[in-house]
Amino acid sequence: MLPIIFVLPMVQLLILSNAASFEIKNIKFSYVDNDHSAASRELISKFEASQYFNIIESFSSKKEADFQMQTGKVDAILEIPNHFERDLITENFTNLSVSINAIDGAAAGVESVYISQIINGFNQKIQTQLYQYNEASYIQPLNIVTIPSFWYNNTLNYKTFMVPGILVLLVTMLTLFLSSMNIVREKEMGTLEQINVTPIQKYQFIIGKLFPFWVLGLVILTVGLIIAIAVFSVPVLGNIGLIYFFTSVYLLVILGIGLIISNHSDTQQQAMFIAWFFSVIFILMSGLFTPIESMPQWAQNVTFLNPIRYFVEIIRMVMLKGANFSDISRPFFIVVFYAFALNWIAVWSYRKVN
Amino acid sequence: MTKEKIIAVQNLSKQFGNFIAVNSISFEVYKGEIFGFLGANGAGKTTAMKMLIGISKPTSGEALVAGFDVKTNTEMVKRSIGYMSQKFSMYDDLTIKENITFFGGIYGLSRNQIKEKTEKLVSQLELEDAVDKLVGSLPLGWKQKLSFSVALLHEPKIVFLDEPTGGVDPITRRQFWEMIYAEADKGTTIFVTTHYMDEAEYCDRVSIMVEGSIEALDTPKNLKKKYNVASMNDVFLKLARNVE
Ligand SMILES: Nc1ncnc2c1ncn2[C@@H]1O[C@H](COP(=O)(O)OP(=O)(O)OP(=O)(O)O)[C@@H](O)[C@H]1O
Ligand SMILES: [Mg+2]
């Protein structure tokens, strides 16, 4: 059993980290250039240069392009209006229209970000060129380059972003499942009854039962961090001790939940099902695969109850942004609160007598 | 002859929903006796026993075990008793030695005491070659003798045995009862359920439970006389048949 407990999560970490990427490449991109100016050609060349876009073809009318999108030959259409260059120069303002095939909403969101990034980058450049035309009206220095801080930008690797999150997920699932099955298993075997006729105190029994899983959770975290750093070159900008400190409290929350599930289940199947129910909700609402900001408001509110959410947030902040304790103190204290509340309920609902 | 009461039960009942599993039973058990607790399947023996050992709350009634109230002083009751469940309940995935160490530890025995007890127990049961074997791999008869010995580790005043010889061969059953006698001779009270009527003959007194109530309670000799039959088996059949 023990090798399985260690090996499988690590295999998952390796596989999922490679598979769970939001990166979209080879976007089938087309454009309608109504301006045929130097500026419009330069904008298009930006798209051509990007590794994310495959320029399918240019269309002479929007209608034609729309038709191609309907047939699925095109994912995105950029329409450059008449007088694009002129408006940019004289009014310093212009509209571009972008149509994206949104059948896959998540992909469409990512594509739209890519496109607006390129356009934004392009705008900066125009401004610097404009600078030469009209020296007085622009105070911006020539060399300003805004590097978009989006996590999906080119400089930041997806795996860097996903690996810590997936590690959180594995540590959570493993400790939740093992702890919720464990006491139920003793119920099934009858050893729990034997324990209950002894004068052992509730807290002694519970600590004895859960401590090994607490240690196991930290060991899995360690192995996972080693893989994250050695295999995926995830940076550790913050203090790694902070991650351990947080995890040691976080695991109490998960073990508390596991114990509550155990207390309310009579069979391992039952416990398994309840643990599965919670883990699916926790994972999908953790911000790991879908950004919390893009959830409806009620769902965002629900995520505040989700311990995984805080762990994902904190591990990313500490590893990728180099956050220190004061940066993570709010989620940390929320988790401390949960640890107390859940374990209190767990101990209270554990019955030596029925 | 003065007999010291060690278990005193008054109108003890247990109800599951609408079903009355134990219906107002009253009896006493004396120190050092072997008390047989008989009854057909589903009569309520296990349920009654669980109330006496403090892992099931009585719906109503009183019970004093080793002088402690099972409702209010459960932890003291637990210190005074040993229990061997109807279902084998040691850790299958631990060795004999580990199980003994674990249960000894829970009862607060010191390392030395545990070591001593383990040696004694293992040589008594002739398990020297098996101490490091997983308990799960042992034959049933050995398991049962082992759990009995483990239930006695902390030298309880009373030991509750729920069908300790169920499914065990006649030779092992005999050995088991020799162990029970040896323990009773030391002054330990034995509270035992069984479906084997030959075993009932070995008890000092037996009670016969029928559908949650105690229908008869006396020495095997008196019961046979009262029902005018030759064996406990016939006593049991007579009482159980009245139900139908
Ligand atoms: N937790 C429970 N909930 C509901 N009914 C129960 C519960 N425990 C026992 N019962 C019922 O109470 C009755 C008595 O059960 P009990 O186990 O005490 O019988 P028993 O005399 O020990 O039988 P056996 O000889 O088969 O061990 C049975 O009908 C059983 O189904
Ligand atoms: Mg029973």
Side-chain angles (χ1 to χ4, degrees):
Chain A
M1 185 69 184
L2 210 55
I4 297 180
I5 290 177
F6 281 104
V7 173
L8 290 189
M10 294 312 136
V11 173
Q12 276 175 306
L13 182 63
L14 291 168
I15 295 176
L16 290 180
S17 301
N18 280 303
S21 161
F22 295 116
E23 209 168 35
I24 296 173
K25 281 189 176 155
N26 304 325
I27 299 167
K28 290 175 282 184
F29 182 81
S30 67
Y31 59 92
V32 181
D33 185 357
N34 296 318
D35 197 35
H36 298 289
S37 59
S40 70
R41 273 191 296 276
E42 200 189 334
L43 176 59
I44 289 158
S45 75
K46 290 267 171 200
F47 283 95
E48 275 166 342
S50 162
Q51 53 168 323
Y52 296 113
F53 296 94
N54 279 350
I55 307 278
I56 298 293
E57 60 185 308
S58 73
F59 296 105
S60 51
S61 76
K62 182 76 184 353
K63 215 169 141 188
E64 206 180 320
D66 284 345
F67 176 76
Q68 291 301 323
M69 184 179 276
Q70 275 159 19
T71 63
K73 289 207 180 93
V74 166
D75 293 326
I77 306 164
L78 173 74
E79 191 183 13
I80 301 172
N82 265 337
H83 313 307
F84 170 69
E85 191 179 51
R86 198 194 68 195
D87 290 351
L88 259 181
I89 294 167
T90 57
E91 298 172 34
N92 190 27
F93 176 82
T94 183
N95 285 319
L96 279 173
S97 111
V98 177
S99 317
I100 295 170
N101 185 347
I103 286 178
D104 179 348
V110 175
E111 288 165 18
S112 107
V113 173
Y114 287 166
I115 293 171
S116 46
Q117 256 179 277
I118 290 183
I119 295 171
N120 286 343
F122 171 75
N123 250 329
Q124 293 272 341
K125 210 169 168 206
I126 289 222
Q127 285 174 359
T128 57
Q129 283 170 349
L130 290 171
Y131 192 73
Q132 292 157 356
Y133 287 107
N134 187 350
E135 291 197 342
S137 60
Y138 286 96
I139 336 144
Q140 271 180 306
L142 262 169
N143 56 355
I144 195 171
V145 187
T146 44
I147 297 169
S149 60
F150 300 117
W151 51 263
Y152 16 59
N153 70 15
N154 293 339
T155 56
L156 194 61
N157 186 325
Y158 284 99
K159 284 174 195 145
T160 301
F161 187 69
M162 290 310 290
V163 168
I166 289 170
L167 181 55
V168 162
L169 196 151
L170 294 175
V171 168
T172 307
M173 296 274 280
L174 200 76
T175 44
L176 179 66
F177 273 80
L178 288 176
S179 63
S180 60
M181 304 288 275
N182 190 267
I183 290 176
V184 184
R185 180 161 167 267
E186 295 222 11
K187 270 189 205 175
E188 283 186 353
M189 291 196 317
T191 46
L192 189 64
E193 187 179 275
Q194 197 67 47
I195 296 283
N196 285 344
V197 294
T198 71
I200 194 172
Q201 298 284 317
K202 267 200 219 182
Y203 77 90
Q204 292 174 319
F205 176 72
I206 290 171
I207 292 173
K209 278 274 119 188
L210 298 186
F211 183 72
F213 298 119
W214 185 80
V215 173
L216 186 76
L218 291 176
V219 173
I220 298 271
L221 176 77
T222 307
V223 180
L225 283 175
I226 293 172
I227 292 184
I229 294 165
V231 179
F232 295 106
S233 319
V234 178
V236 187
L237 301 179
N239 183 347
I240 208 150
L242 202 53
I243 295 177
Y244 277 90
F245 181 56
F246 176 81
T247 309
S248 54
V249 178
Y250 172 83
L251 284 172
L252 299 180
V253 175
I254 300 304
L255 295 176
I257 297 174
L259 185 56
I260 294 173
I261 294 175
S262 256
N263 290 344
H264 294 279
S265 309
D266 293 320
T267 63
Q268 292 190 62
Q269 277 108 317
Q270 217 179 334
M272 176 81 125
F273 193 80
I274 302 175
W276 174 79
F277 171 83
F278 280 110
S279 46
V280 169
I281 294 183
F282 282 172
I283 290 165
L284 292 181
M285 300 191 83
S286 65
L288 182 57
F289 295 114
T290 41
I292 290 174
E293 300 78 56
S294 62
M295 295 176 189
Q297 191 57 47
W298 66 265
Q300 292 195 26
N301 295 341
V302 173
T303 65
F304 287 116
L305 295 170
N306 183 356
I308 298 189
R309 176 210 154 114
Y310 299 107
F311 196 4
V312 170
E313 205 172 298
I314 283 179
I315 199 169
R316 282 176 176 168
M317 280 171 76
V318 174
M319 289 184 84
L320 308 180
K321 287 194 197 157
N324 58 26
F325 183 74
S326 61
D327 298 323
I328 63 161
S329 63
R330 204 184 83 94
F332 175 77
F333 285 115
I334 292 174
V335 168
V336 169
F337 168 76
Y338 281 150
F340 275 105
L342 287 167
N343 283 287
W344 184 82
I345 295 173
V347 172
W348 172 77
S349 66
Y350 176 75
R351 297 254 178 271
K352 277 184 85 179
V353 178
N354 49 29
Chain B
M1 179 168 137
T2 56
K3 294 188 224 166
E4 190 186 330
K5 272 186 256 172
I6 195 148
I7 300 177
V9 178
Q10 269 297 320
N11 302 324
L12 196 67
S13 299
K14 179 83 185 188
Q15 208 165 337
F16 297 112
N18 286 330
F19 177 72
I20 302 172
V22 173
N23 189 1
S24 192
I25 57 172
S26 304
F27 61 92
E28 281 158 2
V29 178
Y30 303 109
K31 187 167 182 296
E33 84 174 331
I34 300 177
F35 188 85
F37 201 56
L38 312 187
N41 288 128
K45 305 180 296 292
T46 301
T47 308
M49 199 182 264
K50 282 185 180 171
M51 289 191 279
L52 297 182
I53 60 175
I55 57 172
S56 170
K57 262 213 150 43
T59 310
S60 62
E62 304 296 326
L64 290 179
V65 172
F68 303 108
D69 189 330
V70 296
K71 278 194 206 162
T72 54
N73 214 344
T74 329
E75 295 311 310
M76 286 311 292
V77 169
K78 286 176 184 174
R79 279 176 208 280
S80 320
I81 59 143
Y83 171 58
M84 181 178 160
S85 138
Q86 182 167 1
K87 192 174 154 195
F88 178 72
S89 52
M90 293 176 71
Y91 289 90
D92 276 343
D93 43 6
L94 296 184
T95 65
I96 294 181
K97 204 171 164 182
E98 287 165 340
N99 266 293
I100 298 173
T101 309
F102 176 73
F103 283 105
I106 285 190
Y107 281 106
L109 303 190
S110 72
R111 222 170 266 258
N112 277 337
Q113 281 174 309
I114 291 176
K115 204 171 155 238
E116 243 169 65
K117 291 261 178 192
T118 307
E119 275 165 18
K120 206 166 125 201
L121 193 157
V122 164
S123 75
Q124 262 172 8
L125 298 180
E126 295 170 9
L127 286 173
E128 285 94 343
D129 297 334
V131 271
D132 292 319
K133 272 197 189 160
L134 294 187
V135 160
S137 69
L138 298 178
L140 182 67
W142 294 23
K143 282 185 181 177
Q144 298 299 82
K145 286 196 275 185
L146 181 65
S147 355
F148 179 55
S149 308
V150 168
L152 295 170
L153 271 182
H154 58 296
E155 296 170 6
K157 292 197 180 108
I158 313 165
V159 60
F160 289 85
L161 309 172
D162 198 353
E163 291 187 35
T165 54
V168 167
D169 70 64
I171 298 168
T172 314
R173 277 214 287 138
R174 202 194 167 82
Q175 291 168 344
F176 199 97
W177 273 88
E178 279 163 12
M179 287 169 72
I180 291 181
Y181 270 116
E183 198 53 40
D185 279 345
K186 289 189 211 161
T188 310
T189 309
I190 314 278
F191 189 101
V192 57
T193 76
T194 179
H195 288 299
Y196 297 109
M197 287 308 134
D198 57 332
E199 293 183 357
E201 309 269 5
Y202 305 150
C203 297
D204 295 323
R205 287 191 306 144
V206 299
S207 74
I208 298 179
M209 221 175 155
V210 179
E211 296 191 331
S213 307
I214 291 182
E215 293 295 318
L217 198 172
D218 213 331
T219 61
K221 196 171 146 198
N222 288 348
L223 284 175
K224 283 183 276 191
K225 199 150 76 185
K226 182 175 169 196
Y227 291 95
N228 198 20
V229 288
S231 69
M232 276 307 294
N233 202 29
D234 294 331
V235 174
F236 189 84
L237 287 177
K238 232 173 182 161
L239 278 165
R241 199 161 292 149
N242 287 344
V243 179
E244 265 113 291

